[in-house]
């Protein structure tokens, strides 16, 4: 089966690891993903049903709009992917429009536009909740029509929820399997773990996630978590069966800033 790319650019996306993850997921009727992100695991697995969650309402809003009105969404989105919109001032104008809008439809279209025209496909908000990723200065941003259509078709098997990982995992029942892709632990031991958080995901969250995984497994729902292979991760996931693989990861802007990093898979069952 050829691999399917997500239509969104996404930091920490799992496209390259999708096969490795799929091979480690126990058989089930439904896959639950509490950290769906761009959806590479969803797109490259074949379960009867999916429950896909994220705490970002713009991401989940976009997925629901695309699922329910794919043709209209793709047609409207295409009107934003024009040369005139690949301009710094136009981008900041549309970003301001996004930040002032309360329409889920309009925000969804602009979220896709900013993901492709903004810097590095980043998704970042300021303390007031305003999207603040700068202009990307790309020659010609790609309009992912093929990827949007594939996602929309597969989304008919999925339900999308804007909620935290604990709520998402609490819904699991026998016949489900859970895959968790949380914000990763820092590779460096010099990081201050008491204050460490990516997008508000603290060390307490990492520990609670491990507890939720153990609780789900106790209810008969196997759970797979991926993270950096660090001493902290191994301590957190001590109740699981752990496996390590090496992955190439960019750690800086330069091409020679790529190195092999150990990725940990922790399976609770």
């Amino acid at each position: 089966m050829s691999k399917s790319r997500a239509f969104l650019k996404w930091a920490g996306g799992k496209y390259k690891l999708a096969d490795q993850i799929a091979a480690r997921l126990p058989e089930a009727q439904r896959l639950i993903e509490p950290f769906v992100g761009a959806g590479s695991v969803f797109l490259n697995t074949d379960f009867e049903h999916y429950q896909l969650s994220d705490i970002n309402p713009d991401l989940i809003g976009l997925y629901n709009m695309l699922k329910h009105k794919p043709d209209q969404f793709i047609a409207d989105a295409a009107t934003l992917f024009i040369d005139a919109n690949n301009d710094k001032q136009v981008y900041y104008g549309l970003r301001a429009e996004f930040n002032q809008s309360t329409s889920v439809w309009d925000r969804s279209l602009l979220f896709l536009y900013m993901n492709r025209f903004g810097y590095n496909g980043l998704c970042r908000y300021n303390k007031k909740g305003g999207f603040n990723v700068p202009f990307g200065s790309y020659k010609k941003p790609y309009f992912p029509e093929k990827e949007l259509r594939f996602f929309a078709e597969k989304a008919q098997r999925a339900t999308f929820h804007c909620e935290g990982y604990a709520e998402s995992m609490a819904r699991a029942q026998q016949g489900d399997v859970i895959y968790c892709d949380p914000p990763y632990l820092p590779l460096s031991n010099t990081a201050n773990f008491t204050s460490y958080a990516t997008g508000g995901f603290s060390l307490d969250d990492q520990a609670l996630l491990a507890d939720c995984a153990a609780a789900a497994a106790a209810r008969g729902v196997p759970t797979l978590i991926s993270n950096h292979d660090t001493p902290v991760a191994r301590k957190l996931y001590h109740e699981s069966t752990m496996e390590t693989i090496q992955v190439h990861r960019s750690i800086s802007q330069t091409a020679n800033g790529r190195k092999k990093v150990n990725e940990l898979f922790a399976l609770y069952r």
Side-chain angles (χ1 to χ4, degrees):
M1 186 176 85
S2 63
K3 280 170 80 173
S4 301
R5 281 198 179 274
F7 65 85
L8 292 172
K9 297 180 180 183
W10 208 254
K14 287 293 177 283
Y15 176 75
K16 288 180 180 170
L17 278 179
D19 291 343
Q20 298 268 20
I21 293 161
R24 287 164 174 80
L25 284 170
E27 281 186 26
Q29 289 170 304
R30 181 173 71 162
L31 174 65
I32 293 177
E33 287 196 68
F35 306 89
V36 66
S40 289
V41 174
F42 156 60
L43 293 167
N44 291 288
T45 51
D46 189 23
F47 290 87
E48 283 175 54
H49 304 287
Y50 293 85
Q51 176 194 300
L52 308 172
S53 304
D54 201 279
I55 56 166
N56 184 333
D58 292 317
L59 183 68
I60 297 301
L62 162 54
Y63 289 164
N64 275 318
M65 295 300 105
L66 180 60
K67 174 186 174 177
H68 295 297
K69 294 183 177 177
D71 292 337
Q72 189 185 340
F73 184 88
I74 291 166
D76 285 4
T79 66
L80 288 168
F81 282 70
I82 56 173
D83 290 342
N85 285 349
N86 193 21
D87 172 90
K88 199 172 191 176
Q89 294 319 116
V90 174
Y91 174 86
Y92 288 125
L94 287 169
R95 190 181 75 175
E97 197 178 300
F98 170 87
N99 284 331
Q100 286 153 19
S101 175
T102 54
S103 158
V104 177
W105 184 261
D106 292 348
R107 286 180 73 92
S108 297
L109 293 166
L110 290 167
F111 188 83
L112 173 61
Y113 161 79
M114 293 186 303
N115 177 264
R116 287 280 166 179
F117 286 73
Y119 181 73
N120 251 2
L122 291 174
C123 179
R124 193 182 66 197
Y125 300 82
N126 62 26
K127 286 198 170 96
K128 291 181 180 172
F131 194 86
N132 65 356
V133 174
F135 181 59
S137 298
Y138 297 107
K139 259 190 183 163
K140 189 174 174 60
Y142 170 66
F143 179 56
E145 180 174 356
K146 179 171 71 97
E147 292 83 351
L148 283 160
R149 291 201 181 279
F150 184 80
F151 190 104
E153 188 182 327
K154 191 152 188 189
Q156 304 311 311
R157 286 194 243 169
T159 57
F160 298 96
H161 302 275
C162 183
E163 64 188 4
Y165 62 92
E167 294 166 83
S168 177
M169 294 168 83
R171 296 169 180 268
Q173 49 202 22
Q174 289 202 349
D176 293 340
V177 62
I178 300 171
Y179 168 62
C180 296
D181 178 29
Y184 276 20
L185 286 157
L187 281 167
S188 150
N189 285 335
T190 57
N192 180 348
F193 285 111
T194 52
S195 64
Y196 165 74
T198 304
F201 206 82
S202 65
L203 187 59
D204 284 346
D205 277 305
Q206 299 278 3
L208 182 57
L209 176 62
D211 289 345
C212 288
R219 299 200 310 274
V221 180
T223 301
L224 181 69
I225 306 178
S226 56
N227 211 318
H228 283 143
D229 188 354
T230 68
V232 174
R234 287 188 169 268
K235 194 171 178 184
L236 287 171
Y237 305 145
H238 68 276
E239 291 182 55
S240 73
T241 303
M242 290 177 263
E243 190 183 351
T244 302
I245 63 164
Q246 282 201 324
V247 295
H248 280 285
R249 186 154 295 142
S250 299
I251 52 162
S252 70
Q253 295 296 330
T254 57
N256 60 5
R258 292 174 69 80
K259 66 171 188 177
K260 283 194 170 178
V261 174
N262 284 342
E263 184 100 2
L264 185 67
F265 290 118
L267 180 62
Y268 291 80
R269 60 183 314 171

